[in-house]
Each structure stands twice: as C-alpha cells, then as structure tokens.
C-alpha cells in the first residue's frame, strides 16, 4: 500500500473549530462564596488589595505619587477610592472583563511583581459575594491623555464599558462602587467596613481611611521603640491581649531578615494539648492573609501563638492560607530555631521565668528535647519528672542514684513506687508523654549515667528473702494460697520488706499482662481461635503476689490451717493489692473482690453456738 492510499482523504476528516468557555457568573460566585472563601468578608480584602497594588504599580513609575485609599460606606453602598495606576479603556476590556487575568501580568509591571499582594486575577469577582452591581470609574496615570473609563457589571454576568468626559475624573486612580445584594447590606455598613478594614489593613504601608478614621497603625507593634526591655514586654503583652484575648507568659521576637519575616510569638499562659494546632496571624506585605496558619511553626512549638508580616511566603488561591513549598519549610525551620534560642537564653540567664514557663509547658520542651540533644542537655536541670524522691529534674535525680531506674507506664510506677522507695531504689515514672524516651536518651548527654528499666524481677530481687525454715513452716499456707490464685495467672511468694503497713504487693510487667490477656481471650474463644491463641502461648513470667512477712496481718493469716479460709484471705490480699496499685480490674478480678468480701463477712459473722430456738 502506497503512502497516498494509507492516508484518509481530506473530505473524510472531521472539521475542527475553536471554542471559548462559557462562564456562568452566578455559579462562579456561588463557588467562590461556599468553597474558595471562608467568609464574605474577604470582599473587602480584595478591594484593599487591588487599591494597594494599583498604588504600588504607580509608584514603580512615579515614586512621588500620592498613596491614598479612601473607603466610604453609606446606605447599603460602598465607595473605594485609590490614587493608583488607573486604567484605560483597553485595560478595562483586557483586565476587568476577563476572569483569571491579572494586572500584574501587564507590560511594564513584571519588574515590580514581587511588591504586589495579589497573585491571582480573581480581583473584583469576589465582590459579587456581597454586591449585585459593581461600577468602576478609572483614569490612567500611565496614559494621562486617555479619558476616564467606566465599567459596570451585574451578577448575571453582563457588563458595559463607556468612556467619560475628561472632567468626570481629573486625577489618576480608580473608584469602585458596590451596591449590596439582597440580605448583604450589613456587609457594607460603615462599622462593619471599618472593622474589616482595620483587621485586614492595619499594617499596610499606605494611608488607608474609612471616612475620616485611620485604618493603618504603623509601625507594627514589634517594630516600635520602647524605653527599655520591660516596657517593651508590657507593650507587647497588651498587644497580645487586644489581638488574641490572653496575657502571655512571655513574648519572643521573630526577626528573620533572610526569610523576610518580622513579628512576635506569644507564649500561652495555660497548657494546651500537643495535638492542638494553634492558628497564627500572617500578614503578607502588610495585608492580613490568614488568622489560622497552622503550618507556620514546627509541631513541637504548640505553646505559642504568632503574628507576623512576611514578603517571602506564597498564598494559596483563596489567599487564606500558606502554600506549602521550600520557602515555607525554610521559614518554619528558622522560626523554630528562634524559639529554641529563646528557651536556651532563659536557661542561661533567667531561671525564674524559665521555671514559670516549664510549670505550664514542660510537655512542649520535652517534645523538642526528644530530637534535639543540645536542647536536652540545656534543659536537664529544669525539666520536671515524677520520681520516688519527689518531682525532680533528671540531672538532680541522676546525681542521687547511681542507676536511674524507670518504668514505661504509670501503672507500673504505681505498683512499685512506695516499695522501691522504701528499699532505697530510685525510680522515675516514664509513663507520661515523651518521658521514657528522654530517660533513655540521658546517657547520650550525661556521660557515665546508667539507665535501666525496672521490672517485677528487679523489684523482687531488692526485697529481703525470708529464712528458709520460716518459709518451710508456712509451706501449707503458701500452697493453699497459690492454688487459689493460680487460675488468675498469679504466683504467691513470701518476702520481708518495708513499709510494714503494706501486707501484699502485686507485681507484673507488660509481658505478664500480655500473656494474661492472651489467656483470657483463649478462654472465651471458640475452638478454632482457642487453638490459634494457644499456639501463641509464651514463656513470659507470671504476675506475682508478694506477701510481706514483716506485716502483722500476714503473720496471723499464715497461722491459719483452714484451706478454705486461707483461699478467701489470699483472694482478699490479691484484690487489695490490685486496688493499691490502681490497676484496672478485669471482670474476673471484680468477681474475686466481691466473692472475697462476702466470704470474709460470712467468716466474721459465723457462730457455732446453737440458735435461740434450739436451746
């Protein structure tokens, strides 16, 4: 087959034509208001942003040009005037009437692009969230001879453009008129406009006013001069209270010039969960971008709230959050380093403020110290831990004890704390968040420190053995007690230990608990699962009930010769030891406690004498 016959004829090819997307403006406004923007209030930010960008563009060509933005709200209408670059009729057709087109792409403005707030050409479209009609009157500063132009649009997607007489607007700039849509007049009320303008624009570099009231409040609180550090701290605390509603424990300067960041972090006065992601206020070139920036700081810095201004971070399309990129990752690392430096500075020069901070936020510092050995070394004298010697730092505890014993769970600590302390064994409770990791990391920052996990065998080994002759004399009693507790997976041993007031001690470890849980599951399972669980049976040590031979009650119980009464007594001691250790009770344990209690009552009220009627 030759090349001519292998190609389809021209007549058989389908015809192609270029089409243009049709945009339903009402549907697009609904998309903006319900999905892109969190609130209709962003309309004012878009107006301010357009005005500020227009002024920035004009000043790029005319550095001495006025920089004014004026907002006038009255009777469900809003007028926004700026002294910016302005538009010609050609600009209006290419910019205002084309969705997605940005004036920052216009010729001659690329060199100043980094100075603009907006990065997306949505612009005035956001105003349709609150307005049913938008009118723009503008005169170009770049083309002074061009007549003023008027662009009028409604929310049905229609617009018209007309030129005006030269006298209609004598100065370059733009005025935007909004007419509220039904039910949205409150968004254009003067007090609401003033409140939103101050919230969004308090740090803008130009003169912005609502009527005669100033919106901008410069310099920023963190850039203002003060007589001294104490006065500065008081002023920043007042700013935090006005902004966030709380008085901070301290304030941390966030000056990172290389990242284009300037601001302050306020330390929360009360503890918060590490899982809670605090929202931070971020201004982009003076314009408030978001009040809920969650990814601004490392996860461990959950104890501060930040407010800052940046010119390096990128906003998302809605301009209500930050775009996750390498720049944001670098800023996050730099801000984390700044907070870390503040902590080490307190440790070196202000121990009282550090102690006040750690009394509230020790969890955050422990989280940081897990991954930062230098921070762990710095904080060792300050971080508090629960120990058998009281609430101490690891540094102080390690100075007292040649071996730093610890438990991995709070339950294990409660089992052994009193007994270990009486035997002179120091124990640290590693059951709280991050504690066991920090204890295990101790030798890496404190040379020569020995760290060992405390288990049931270690505790038992520190208890004094009973004379073999004594234990032999009590063999019948111990045998009966073991037989009674064997179904519960618990052995019985006899030791002598202090304090004397403790009759019995229940000891186990995680391996023993896992084996008991497996045995319980096997007992309740069907034949198939019982076989599977039985094959998983391990050689883990069983739990043990350690009877204190020094305790007078144990001595009296040891003299019993009734096997049934010995069994009831053993169950009672077992249940009491579980309660003392604050262990969660299994159904079998609860049944045992109930049975032992009733059994003791029965023995206590037992009377061998004949009843009155049989005398």
């Amino acid at each position: 087959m030759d090349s001519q016959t292998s190609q389809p004829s021209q007549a058989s090819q389908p015809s192609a034509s270029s089409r243009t997307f049709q945009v339903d403006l009402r549907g697009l406004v609904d998309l903006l208001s319900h999905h892109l923007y969190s609130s209709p209030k962003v309309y004012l930010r878009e107006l301010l942003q357009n005005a500020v960008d227009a002024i920035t563009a004009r000043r790029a060509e005319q550095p001495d040009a006025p920089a004014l933005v004026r907002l006038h709200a009255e009777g469900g209408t809003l007028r926004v005037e700026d002294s910016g670059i302005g538009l010609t009729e050609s600009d209006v057709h290419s910019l205002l009437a084309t969705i997605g087109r940005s004036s920052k792409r216009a010729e001659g403005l690329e060199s100043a692009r980094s100075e603009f707030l907006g990065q997306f050409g949505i612009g005035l479209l956001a105003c349709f969230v609150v307005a049913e009609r938008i009118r723009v009157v503008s005169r170009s500063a770049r083309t002074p001879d061009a007549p003023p132009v008027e662009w009028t649009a409604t929310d049905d997607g229609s617009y018209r453009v007309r030129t005006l007489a030269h006298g209609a607007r004598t100065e370059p700039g733009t005025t935007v008129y909004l007419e509220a849509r039904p039910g949205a007049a409150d968004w254009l009320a003067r007090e609401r406009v003033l409140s939103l303008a101050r919230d969004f624009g308090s740090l803008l570099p130009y003169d912005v006013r609502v009527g005669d009231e100033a919106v901008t409040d410069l310099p920023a609180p963190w850039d203002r001069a003060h007589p001294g550090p104490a006065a500065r701290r008081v002023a920043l605390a007042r700013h935090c209270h006005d902004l966030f509603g709380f008085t901070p424990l301290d304030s941390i300067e966030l000056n990172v010039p290389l990242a284009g960041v300037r601001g302050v972090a306020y330390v929360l006065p009360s503890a918060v969960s590490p899982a809670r992601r605090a929202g931070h206020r971020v201004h982009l070139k003076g314009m408030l971008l978001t009040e809920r920036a969650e990814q601004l700081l490392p996860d461990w810095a959950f104890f501060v709230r930040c407010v800052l201004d940046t010119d390096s971070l990128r906003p998302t399309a809605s301009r209500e959050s930050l775009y996750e990129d390498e720049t944001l990752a670098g800023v996050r690392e730099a801000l984390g380093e700044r907070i870390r430096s503040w902590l080490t500075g307190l440790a070196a020069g202000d121990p009282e403020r550090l102690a006040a901070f750690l009394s509230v936020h020790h969890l955050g510092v422990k989280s940081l110290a897990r991954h930062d050995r230098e921070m762990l070394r710095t904080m060792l004298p300050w971080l508090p831990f629960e120990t058998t010697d009281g609430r101490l730092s690891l540094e102080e505890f390690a100075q007292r004890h040649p071996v730093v014993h610890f438990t991995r769970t709070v339950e294990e600590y409660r089992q052994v704390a009193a007994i270990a302390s009486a035997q002179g064994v120091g124990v640290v409770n590693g059951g709280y968040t991050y504690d066991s990791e920090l204890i295990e990391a101790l030798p890496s920052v404190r040379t020569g420190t020995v760290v060992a996990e405390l288990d049931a065998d270690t505790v038992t080994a520190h208890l004094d053995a009973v004379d073999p002759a004594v234990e032999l004399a009590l063999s019948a009693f111990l045998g009966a007690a073991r037989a009674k507790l064997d179904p519960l997976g618990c052995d019985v041993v006899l030791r002598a230990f202090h304090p004397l007031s403790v009759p019995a001690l229940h000891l186990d470890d995680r391996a023993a608990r896992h084996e008991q849980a497996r045995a319980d599951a096997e007992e309740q399972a069907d034949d198939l699962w019982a076989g599977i669980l039985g094959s998983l049976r391990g050689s883990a040590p069983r739990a043990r009930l350690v009877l204190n031979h020094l305790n007078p009650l144990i001595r009296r119980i040891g003299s019993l010769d009734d096997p049934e009464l010995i069994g009831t007594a053993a169950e009672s001691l077992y249940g009491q030891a579980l309660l003392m250790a604050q262990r969660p009770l299994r159904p079998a344990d609860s049944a045992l406690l109930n049975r032992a209690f009733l059994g003791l009552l029965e023995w206590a009220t037992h009377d061998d004498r004949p009843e009155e009627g049989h005398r």
Side-chain angles (χ1 to χ4, degrees):
M1 183 179 295
D2 59 26
S3 60
Q4 290 183 344
T5 58
S6 65
Q7 300 291 329
S9 66
Q10 185 70 24
S12 66
Q13 292 182 345
S15 60
S17 60
S18 176
R19 303 289 187 190
T20 301
F21 282 108
Q22 300 298 310
V23 177
D24 178 359
L25 189 57
R26 292 184 188 273
L28 189 56
V29 169
D30 180 74
L31 178 67
L32 291 175
S33 60
H34 291 95
H35 300 284
L36 184 62
Y37 295 130
S38 62
S39 167
K41 69 180 182 180
V42 297
Y43 87 92
L44 194 67
R45 184 194 62 200
E46 295 293 341
L47 289 173
L48 287 175
Q49 180 172 288
N50 288 341
V52 169
D53 283 346
I55 293 172
T56 302
R58 183 176 179 185
R59 284 202 155 185
E61 301 179 5
Q62 304 172 18
D64 296 331
L68 306 174
V69 180
R70 297 290 182 266
L71 297 90
H72 304 275
E74 184 178 2
T77 64
L78 176 64
R79 183 174 85 254
V80 182
E81 303 172 347
D82 69 67
S83 58
I85 192 70
L87 302 171
T88 64
E89 182 177 3
S90 171
D91 294 332
V92 167
H93 283 291
S94 63
L95 300 178
L96 298 186
T98 305
I99 295 174
R101 183 71 179 273
S102 173
S103 63
K104 272 67 78 179
R105 300 189 184 97
E107 183 180 358
L109 297 185
E110 286 294 332
S111 61
R113 184 181 178 87
S114 64
E115 299 302 319
F116 291 106
L117 299 171
Q119 296 292 327
F120 304 89
I122 297 174
L124 287 175
L125 201 60
C127 295
F128 280 120
V129 173
V130 298
E132 64 178 357
R133 184 170 180 267
I134 303 173
R135 183 165 70 97
V136 178
V137 176
S138 185
R139 182 163 190 163
S140 175
R142 186 181 293 117
T143 311
D145 295 336
V149 61
E150 178 188 72
W151 176 84
T152 305
T154 57
D155 61 359
D156 62 1
S158 63
Y159 74 93
R160 64 188 180 111
V161 179
R162 66 189 182 102
T163 57
L164 304 177
H166 281 274
R169 185 181 180 100
T170 58
E171 295 295 327
T174 300
T175 303
V176 179
Y177 302 84
L178 301 186
E179 295 180 13
R181 62 190 310 120
D186 183 59
W187 287 104
L188 302 186
R190 185 183 183 283
E191 290 304 315
R192 175 68 71 89
V193 169
L194 178 60
S195 174
L196 292 178
R198 284 177 171 167
D199 198 34
F200 283 119
S202 62
L203 301 184
L204 289 174
Y206 305 135
D207 182 5
V208 182
R209 296 176 182 271
V210 176
D212 296 328
E213 296 194 52
V215 167
T216 52
D217 185 19
L218 296 176
W222 48 85
D223 287 330
R224 295 172 189 172
H226 298 280
R232 180 177 182 80
R233 190 176 298 118
V234 169
L236 289 177
R238 187 182 305 115
H239 171 250
C240 176
H241 188 273
D242 293 342
L243 192 64
F244 294 125
F246 66 85
T247 300
L249 286 177
D250 205 350
S251 55
I252 308 170
E253 301 284 343
L254 299 179
N255 186 11
V256 189
L258 292 179
V261 170
R262 189 81 176 92
V264 61
Y266 294 115
V267 181
L268 294 169
S270 56
V272 294
S273 167
R276 176 185 171 187
R277 301 298 297 270
H280 308 290
R281 285 178 66 95
V282 177
H283 296 257
L284 180 61
K285 303 180 181 73
M287 181 74 76
L288 178 65
L289 181 70
T290 179
E291 299 174 276
R292 300 184 302 275
E294 296 183 348
Q295 68 273 49
L296 186 64
L297 295 180
D299 290 342
W300 55 261
F302 56 82
F303 49 84
V304 299
R305 290 281 300 276
C306 291
V307 53
L308 55 82
D309 189 26
T310 176
D311 58 16
S312 63
L313 300 179
R314 291 175 55 196
T316 58
S318 67
R319 289 191 287 278
E320 293 188 306
S321 59
L322 297 171
Y323 186 79
E324 186 69 51
D325 57 10
E326 292 182 359
T327 302
L328 178 57
V331 167
R332 183 162 50 234
E333 182 177 353
L335 295 181
E337 182 59 38
R338 185 66 194 87
I339 297 173
R340 182 187 289 107
S341 298
W342 169 78
L343 281 171
T344 55
L346 286 186
D350 200 339
E352 290 185 3
R353 286 171 64 200
L354 178 63
F357 165 75
L358 288 178
S359 68
V360 179
H361 294 299
H362 57 273
L363 201 59
V365 179
K366 287 181 178 180
S367 175
L368 171 59
R370 288 184 305 156
H371 308 293
D372 190 324
R373 291 294 179 261
E374 190 58 38
M375 178 58 65
L376 177 57
R377 183 179 290 107
T378 302
M379 292 291 113
L380 265 181
W382 309 103
L383 288 175
F385 288 78
E386 182 181 0
T387 79
T388 49
D389 293 354
R391 198 159 181 80
L392 300 175
S393 69
L394 286 181
E395 175 68 26
E396 186 174 357
F397 187 85
Q399 290 174 357
R400 297 183 181 186
H401 299 277
V403 178
V404 178
H405 288 100
F406 74 98
T407 63
R408 291 192 181 275
T409 69
V410 175
E411 289 178 359
E412 291 171 355
Y413 179 80
R414 288 171 177 167
Q415 285 184 67
V416 303
I419 304 302
S421 179
Q423 308 306 311
V425 179
V427 184
V428 182
N429 185 354
Y432 295 114
T433 307
Y434 310 135
D435 282 8
S436 62
E437 297 176 69
L438 294 177
I439 297 167
E440 289 181 301
L442 187 57
S444 68
V445 296
R446 195 177 190 276
T447 305
T449 302
V450 178
V451 172
E453 183 176 354
L454 188 69
D455 55 23
D457 289 334
T458 304
V459 176
T460 306
H462 279 83
L463 305 181
D464 295 333
V466 177
D467 184 274
V470 173
E471 190 163 0
L472 181 62
L474 295 175
S475 59
F477 163 75
L478 293 175
R482 287 168 182 153
K484 194 67 174 180
L485 297 184
D486 182 70
L488 297 172
C490 183
D491 291 332
V492 178
V493 297
L494 187 66
R495 293 289 188 273
F497 56 87
H498 293 272
L500 301 180
S501 59
V502 177
L505 175 66
H506 181 272
L507 292 177
D508 65 359
D509 53 25
R510 275 161 292 139
R513 288 197 292 274
H514 292 164
E515 174 62 20
Q516 183 60 52
R518 185 209 58 76
D520 291 343
E522 179 182 359
E523 183 178 342
Q524 299 174 12
D526 56 29
D527 292 341
L528 173 62
W529 281 107
I532 295 174
L533 292 170
S535 67
L536 298 177
R537 182 181 296 111
S539 58
R542 287 152 57 93
R544 67 202 68 175
L545 182 67
V546 185
L547 303 180
N548 186 3
H549 185 59
L550 300 181
N551 181 268
L553 176 63
I554 295 299
R555 287 179 178 270
R556 289 196 298 271
I557 294 176
S559 64
L560 297 174
D561 55 9
D562 185 328
E564 185 176 350
L565 182 55
I566 292 174
T568 300
E571 287 183 330
S572 300
L573 291 169
Y574 174 84
Q576 188 263 354
L578 286 181
L579 295 175
M580 290 295 293
Q582 301 183 44
R583 286 284 308 280
L585 299 180
R586 299 170 297 166
D589 297 330
S590 299
L592 174 144
L593 281 170
N594 185 59
R595 183 171 63 249
F597 176 73
L598 294 177
L600 290 177
L601 282 180
E602 182 178 344
W603 278 100
T605 57
H606 180 68
D607 192 346
D608 291 331
R609 292 174 300 173
E611 296 181 9
E612 188 71 27
H614 297 281
R615 289 183 175 180

